[in-house]
Amino acid sequence: MIWALLALLGVPLWLCAAGILVVVLNNRRLRKRHGDIPVRVRRPGKQRWTRGHALWVSDVIAWRGSPAAWREDLEQVIDVRLRTPDPEEQKRLHRLGEGFTIATLATANGDTVAVATSPEQSSALLGPFEARTTGCQ
């Protein structure tokens, strides 16, 4: 939408196309990085799940909204608990597939962040806490 407005204001179309191309290629590059986890994130105080991609760096989880949501967050995690989704969460997150996992991340500032991912990525969601966790609770 903003690209159409820029074109109407006289910005050359090739410049608009180059801007779109940069956003698309940057997002693709971020999704292909080593250790990338496609996730849905529910931040503290929010009811909606945000689509994005996460990455563990030591005990910090970094995630970025998709496709170009301009939402990024870094959270230092002190504990991870896996759980099975309740029926309402299963309804909202049905696109993750059957048997998806939700991890509740306890952060250093006292908040909890819920992160959901597909069954294939559930072990990656544990990050450095994988050795301490034995299974879903």
Side-chain angles (χ1 to χ4, degrees):
M1 182 69 166
I2 194 161
W3 305 108
L5 181 62
L6 289 173
L8 288 175
L9 291 174
V11 176
L13 288 178
W14 65 267
L15 189 59
C16 293
I20 292 171
L21 184 65
V22 166
V23 169
V24 169
L25 291 177
N26 189 34
N27 191 49
R28 180 171 292 160
R29 182 181 56 84
L30 288 173
R31 286 184 289 133
K32 301 296 181 189
R33 66 190 166 194
H34 178 71
D36 182 69
I37 311 165
V39 295
R40 305 297 188 270
V41 178
R42 188 174 62 209
R43 298 184 317 200
K46 304 287 184 181
Q47 295 298 317
R48 300 192 73 180
W49 291 87
T50 304
R51 185 176 74 157
H53 290 264
L55 178 71
W56 280 102
V57 180
S58 185
D59 64 342
V60 174
I61 191 163
W63 74 275
R64 179 178 192 261
S66 289
W70 312 118
R71 292 186 184 176
E72 298 176 336
D73 204 3
L74 298 171
E75 293 288 347
Q76 182 181 9
V77 178
I78 57 174
D79 192 27
V80 176
R81 301 269 183 218
L82 289 181
R83 64 179 177 86
T84 55
D86 63 33
E88 178 65 25
E89 290 169 332
Q90 285 181 345
K91 188 171 121 182
R92 288 184 179 216
L93 300 170
H94 68 278
R95 290 191 176 124
L96 289 176
E98 199 65 34
F100 66 90
T101 305
I102 296 179
T104 303
L105 311 177
T107 64
N109 61 3
D111 290 333
T112 58
V113 178
V115 181
T117 192
S118 63
E120 302 84 33
Q121 298 288 335
S122 62
S123 64
L125 192 57
L126 293 172
F129 300 93
E130 185 173 13
R132 293 193 292 160
T133 307
T134 58
C136 289
Q137 299 174 356

